[in-house]
Amino acid sequence: MLQLISVVAFVMLLASLSYPPGRENWLLQWASRLDPWLLLSQLRWQQAVPAWVWLPLLTVTATLLWGRVFCGWLCPLGAMLMWTDKIGKAAFKNMSPVRVQILRTVQPIRYYWLLVLLIVFALGSNWVIFLTPFALFSHELARVLQGYMPWLLIGIMAGTLLFSRLWCSVLCPTGVLLSLAARLRLFGYRIAGNCVYCEQCASACSVGAASVDTAVAQAGCLACGDCHRVCPAKAISWQHRWPSGKDSRLVPADGGAAAKRQGSRRQFLKAAGAVALAAAFWEKTVGAAEPVLRPPGSLPAPDFTAVCNRCGRCIQVCPGKALQPMPITDGLTNFATPYIIPRQSRCDLCLSCQEVCPTGAIVQVPLDKVRMGRAILDKSRCIAWEENKLCFICGEQCPVLAITGDEYHRPTILLDKCAGCGSCENACPVAGEAAIRVLPQ
């Protein structure tokens, strides 16, 4: 029930996010900041401890106590994938052993994948944050609300139908990071000595954390309780991971036996491969981006594209729909980051995007300090200057009074006052390219 509440509440909050942002934005911000990766992003780019530091620390503390309870009970994307997995189990009942076997086969690579993510993140790419559940789910839901197809979400759900909780167990940055922390957890599901080795727990576990060879559920356990419910011998219970006594005939799951079986040479080659993959991925996601007009208060390039997690909330809340996601054709560095095409739509300077940004890519600055770009006037195209016609539309539309007119009402730009909102370029009546254009800072 809690999982259902989690996904329904998140969808409803994001769907209700509009101008002006209200309580739904506050709740979305709090939920997003439960993710430890967002704290790492703040420390990496802002070099300061945020006031909400206690939220991700709460998640980490809960993980150290009870394992991946955040992933199993609070994560909205995880909740959706839980129901998707149940559909997959029902639809592919005969393939259930194959689904579990595939998941177990690829699970050993998850910590090498985490190494890739950490290296890419440390080198300056915030694509890791985009793959975290709150950012990714926000991005895909925002696409739906904007009339686009959520291809990434569809792909993840299709993978879950075929391969169980592969995303949550192996690929999700938050899931893998919390799996690492869960290796130190104090409590979890434990198998008692009256286990009959029927392997129903292993078949029921959607993340491959249950095994008849272990006494304790493995680090990937979501604490969902499915293994406990299906056990015919009632041999599985929630307790301290390392109880004393002689009632268990099994060995701990997270001990060193499995690690000892791995050759040091193989581990070294896998780690070297992870580093090489991280370097290749970093080259694709970090680079000089083409200058475009960004939301008011945006960090300077290239910091903006590095910090932005592409959640789409600024686009969702924009009342004039001036903010648009950049297409994949502009490269991975720019993909899905918000930008403005002034000729199509202008920024109303409502500053709502500053309120909803969860990563600090859009900083809260007062209106008189906003400098999105600078307006440039081409007098040879301006009908007031070139044709001596009465036209002062750009000055009439400027919300910060950065355009003045002479005795003939010919416009002149006051660059020290220009916010770069694009109102002048949007209103210019000249056909084709406007006579007055806003260039990014």
Side-chain angles (χ1 to χ4, degrees):
M1 179 60 70
L2 186 57
Q3 296 99 324
L4 181 61
I5 294 174
S6 171
V7 66
V8 171
F10 190 82
V11 171
M12 291 181 63
L13 286 172
L14 192 65
S16 63
L17 186 63
S18 60
Y19 175 80
R23 187 174 300 174
E24 72 282 352
N25 173 54
W26 179 77
L27 293 172
L28 284 170
Q29 294 276 27
W30 274 52
S32 299
R33 288 166 177 171
L34 286 169
D35 195 320
W37 276 107
L38 202 60
L39 175 61
L40 294 178
S41 178
Q42 288 285 317
L43 297 176
R44 169 69 174 83
W45 297 105
Q46 308 297 336
Q47 287 86 43
V49 178
W52 44 266
V53 63
W54 61 276
L55 286 168
L57 290 182
L58 187 65
T59 300
V60 173
T61 301
T63 304
L64 293 175
L65 287 174
W66 306 297
R68 291 176 60 191
V69 290
F70 170 81
C71 301
W73 295 93
L74 298 178
C75 175
L77 180 58
M80 175 169 283
L81 296 182
M82 179 196 71
W83 295 107
T84 305
D85 179 57
K86 290 183 181 297
I87 295 173
K89 286 181 179 179
F92 306 105
K93 187 175 298 184
N94 296 332
M95 291 180 55
S96 181
V98 178
R99 296 171 80 238
V100 173
Q101 184 58 41
I102 292 175
L103 182 62
R104 289 182 177 175
T105 301
V106 299
Q107 268 189 339
I109 71 170
R110 61 182 172 184
Y111 293 127
Y112 296 103
W113 172 239
L114 178 61
L115 177 61
V116 170
L117 296 175
L118 289 171
I119 293 174
V120 170
F121 177 77
L123 289 175
S125 173
N126 221 32
W127 264 88
V128 179
I129 310 300
F130 170 67
L131 297 175
T132 58
F134 286 111
L136 190 149
F137 203 25
S138 293
H139 175 267
E140 295 299 282
L141 289 177
R143 284 183 60 85
V144 173
L145 294 171
Q146 294 158 23
Y148 299 104
M149 191 68 72
W151 293 114
L152 184 54
L153 181 60
I154 290 174
I156 293 173
M157 293 178 68
T160 303
L161 287 172
L162 297 174
F163 308 117
S164 195
R165 302 286 289 275
L166 178 65
W167 178 266
C168 300
S169 180
V170 179
L171 299 176
C172 174
T174 304
V176 179
L177 182 65
L178 294 181
S179 290
L180 184 62
R183 294 173 70 90
L184 303 175
R185 68 196 185 281
L186 295 180
F187 299 92
Y189 282 105
R190 182 177 175 85
I191 306 175
N194 60 326
C195 172
V196 296
Y197 298 93
C198 65
E199 298 194 12
Q200 290 192 35
C201 56
S203 299
C205 183
S206 61
V207 291
S211 173
V212 295
D213 298 327
T214 62
V216 184
Q218 297 178 18
C221 175
L222 300 178
C224 65
D226 286 348
C227 58
H228 169 73
R229 285 187 286 271
V230 302
C231 181
K234 304 302 178 185
I236 302 176
S237 60
W238 181 267
Q239 55 182 291
H240 198 282
R241 288 182 63 215
W242 310 108
S244 59
K246 301 180 180 180
D247 60 339
S248 176
R249 298 180 280 112
L250 308 172
V251 296
D254 296 329
K260 291 178 181 178
R261 289 195 296 267
Q262 296 288 340
S264 58
R265 181 179 178 182
R266 180 178 297 179
Q267 288 184 342
F268 173 78
L269 290 175
K270 287 182 178 179
V275 173
L277 179 61
F281 188 64
W282 173 71
E283 288 183 355
K284 295 294 184 181
T285 58
V286 177
E290 290 295 327
V292 293
L293 203 61
R294 296 295 188 182
S298 296
L299 295 176
D303 289 348
F304 177 79
T305 52
V307 178
C308 174
N309 69 352
R310 294 138 174 100
C311 67
R313 295 180 194 174
C314 55
I315 299 172
Q316 173 73 12
V317 79
C318 183
K321 303 305 176 185
L323 292 178
Q324 299 294 327
M326 294 193 73
I328 190 65
T329 52
D330 286 311
L332 285 176
T333 301
N334 284 317
F335 174 61
T337 56
Y339 78 127
I340 299 171
I341 304 177
R343 202 63 171 141
Q344 296 180 4
S345 186
R346 68 181 190 180
C347 174
D348 292 327
L349 296 176
C350 67
L351 307 186
S352 294
C353 52
Q354 298 179 3
E355 297 183 46
V356 301
C357 180
T359 65
I362 307 175
V363 182
Q364 295 195 23
V365 296
L367 180 58
D368 60 338
K369 299 296 183 181
V370 170
R371 295 295 182 268
M372 303 163 60
R374 63 187 187 281
I376 302 297
L377 178 65
D378 184 354
K379 293 182 179 180
S380 65
R381 292 184 58 80
C382 177
I383 59 178
W385 282 94
E386 183 67 17
E387 302 177 21
N388 294 319
K389 292 183 177 179
L390 182 61
C391 179
F392 192 62
I393 295 177
C394 56
E396 294 170 350
Q397 293 296 317
C398 181
V400 293
L401 305 179
I403 301 177
T404 61
D406 59 14
E407 64 272 20
Y408 302 105
H409 296 285
R410 294 177 300 190
T412 300
I413 302 169
L414 305 176
L415 290 178
D416 60 326
K417 297 182 64 176
C418 178
C421 65
S423 296
C424 52
E425 182 176 346
N426 180 257
C428 181
V430 174
E433 183 178 293
I436 184 169
R437 298 178 59 213
V438 178
L439 303 181
Q441 288 282 45

